[in-house]
Amino acid sequence: MKKMKKIITLILFLPIAVYSQVDDQSKDINSTETKTTLDTVKSDLSEKKEQNIVREPVCINGDCENGTGTMNYTSGTYYGAWKNGLRHGEGSYKWTNGDVYSGNWEDDKRHGEGQYIWNDGSKYMGNYSHGIRSGYGLYYYKNGSIYEGTWQNNVKHGIANFYYKESVNIGGRYVNNQYVSGTGINQKSYQFKPKG
């Protein structure tokens, strides 16, 4: 009988003990979520405050109107050709985060052939149209894979080859950055992998 009372007591009070522990855990989770949310809001406000500070670009060398010159911006530095006060012709832009674009410009936008290297080591070499990747281009991933094919609106779109470490997918088809179809062959039997 005593054993039965203990079991009944345990059954009656166990949910209260479990609820109490769950409630304490949810308080910890809510506290963590609240802190993370507050940190995010602070970070967002800080970024917006930075963006609202008006910093005029400054020509630090050469002719930044119609010629060759160097211009400092809030986000980085451009060195190259200018036309009517706009980046136009051959030039290079280095962002403060370490990203670099070198190539053609037209009316202040990347346009024509160029190379963009991200600070993580990945790289795009190919065509741009009014600031976006468009047409033929190669994208070198930091893991060693390579996409060689067409681009539209900054995404993989059209026919392409995708080179992995041990194989290659020849004639793959991409639609809005998504792989649709293609054939794979062994990398060792394919001699035309692009060089980095």
Side-chain angles (χ1 to χ4, degrees), residues 29-113:
I29 291 169
N30 287 338
S31 173
T32 302
E33 287 177 2
T34 302
K35 184 178 181 333
T36 303
T37 303
L38 287 174
D39 290 344
T40 303
V41 168
K42 286 178 187 175
S43 176
D44 289 347
L45 289 174
S46 175
E47 285 178 23
K48 287 178 183 172
K49 187 176 180 181
E50 283 290 319
Q51 290 170 359
N52 288 335
I53 297 171
V54 178
R55 294 186 185 122
E56 293 295 320
V58 177
C59 185
I60 60 171
N61 189 20
D63 183 354
C64 299
E65 192 61 35
N66 287 297
T68 302
T70 304
M71 179 80 76
N72 270 349
Y73 295 85
T74 303
S75 62
T77 302
Y78 170 81
Y79 169 78
W82 295 85
K83 181 179 177 183
N84 299 323
L86 302 174
R87 294 169 287 191
H88 195 94
E90 286 287 319
S92 180
Y93 193 100
K94 183 171 184 177
W95 280 263
T96 55
N97 72 354
D99 291 359
V100 177
Y101 170 78
S102 299
N104 291 307
W105 297 78
E106 185 175 296
D107 296 327
D108 231 23
K109 295 183 180 174
R110 296 183 294 266
H111 190 78
E113 289 187 21

Side-chain angles (χ1 to χ4, degrees), residues 127-148:
N127 292 307
Y128 284 86
S129 178
H130 306 287
I132 60 171
R133 292 185 296 268
S134 184
Y136 174 78
L138 293 133
Y139 189 94
Y140 295 83
Y141 293 83
K142 63 182 182 177
N143 68 4
S145 296
I146 302 169
Y147 170 89
E148 175 189 28

